[in-house]
Amino acid sequence: MALRNICVIGDEVLRKKAREVTVFDDRLSELIDDMIETMSFENRGIGLAAPQVGILRRVFVVDVGDEHGLLEFVNPEIVSSEGKVMSSEGCLSVPERGGTVERPEKLIIKAQNRKGESFELEAEGLLAICICHEYDHLEGVLFVDKLVEVEETT
Ligand code: NI
């Protein structure tokens, strides 16, 4: 495993749409392991998407510290969502900025794991919020694009 560099706002890789994963090989596993290490140990984040480490593939990892633990999503699809909550967010790719965005309260997501096996997950609360935030990264969208309120965190 290795730590990867986090791309920050201004880097155009963060603005591109990530491509579907079609090959479930050791390289994919290595990417996911590196992302987990980069997220948890280096930066203490709760989520990280592949474009944030410069890889335009539809992969993200999430660990909000709840009973679901660490989750890996490959080729995710948000099947349905409901409700609305205001969410105060930050992002490893947008250093020293925070703000409030609107997110769904609950969602159902379908994805594959690193082996290509499909699964479905129902998420709510912080996990649902985090999944939406990371999913947006795959579409080239950052939370600062959706702000309803700006906060200074410095
Ligand atoms: Ni982010």
Side-chain angles (χ1 to χ4, degrees), residues 103-116:
R103 299 289 187 192
E105 222 173 344
K106 276 183 181 183
L107 59 81
I108 295 173
I109 185 169
K110 211 168 77 179
Q112 287 165 285
N113 65 16
R114 64 174 74 194
K115 295 176 191 162

Side-chain angles (χ1 to χ4, degrees), residues 12-121:
E12 70 177 49
V13 77
L14 294 172
R15 293 310 194 171
K16 291 184 174 159
K17 197 173 151 135
R19 295 182 302 270
E20 198 184 328
V21 172
T22 52
V23 182
F24 294 82
D25 60 0
D26 288 350
R27 249 183 103 195
L28 176 66
S29 271
E30 197 184 314
L31 169 67
I32 293 171
D33 287 338
D34 288 355
M35 285 170 61
I36 291 166
E37 194 179 5
T38 304
M39 170 181 76
S40 352
F41 298 98
E42 176 82 335
N43 296 293
R44 299 182 189 283
I46 58 172
L48 189 70
Q52 293 182 272
V53 293
I55 308 290
L56 281 170
R57 288 289 174 184
R58 302 187 78 78
V59 178
F60 62 76
V61 295
V62 162
D63 186 351
V64 298
D66 68 1
E67 71 278 10
H68 293 284
L70 178 65
L71 296 168
E72 308 170 359
F73 299 86
V74 179
N75 298 329
E77 234 180 279
I78 294 173
V79 180
S80 65
S81 63
E82 60 176 88
K84 271 182 200 170
V85 286
M86 289 300 168
S87 159
S88 178
E89 298 186 11
C91 178
L92 297 172
S93 293
V94 189
E96 290 162 4
R97 283 183 70 185
T100 303
V101 299
E102 195 179 283
R103 299 289 187 192
E105 222 173 344
K106 276 183 181 183
L107 59 81
I108 295 173
I109 185 169
K110 211 168 77 179
Q112 287 165 285
N113 65 16
R114 64 174 74 194
K115 295 176 191 162
E117 297 159 350
S118 298
F119 66 95
E120 205 176 85
L121 178 83

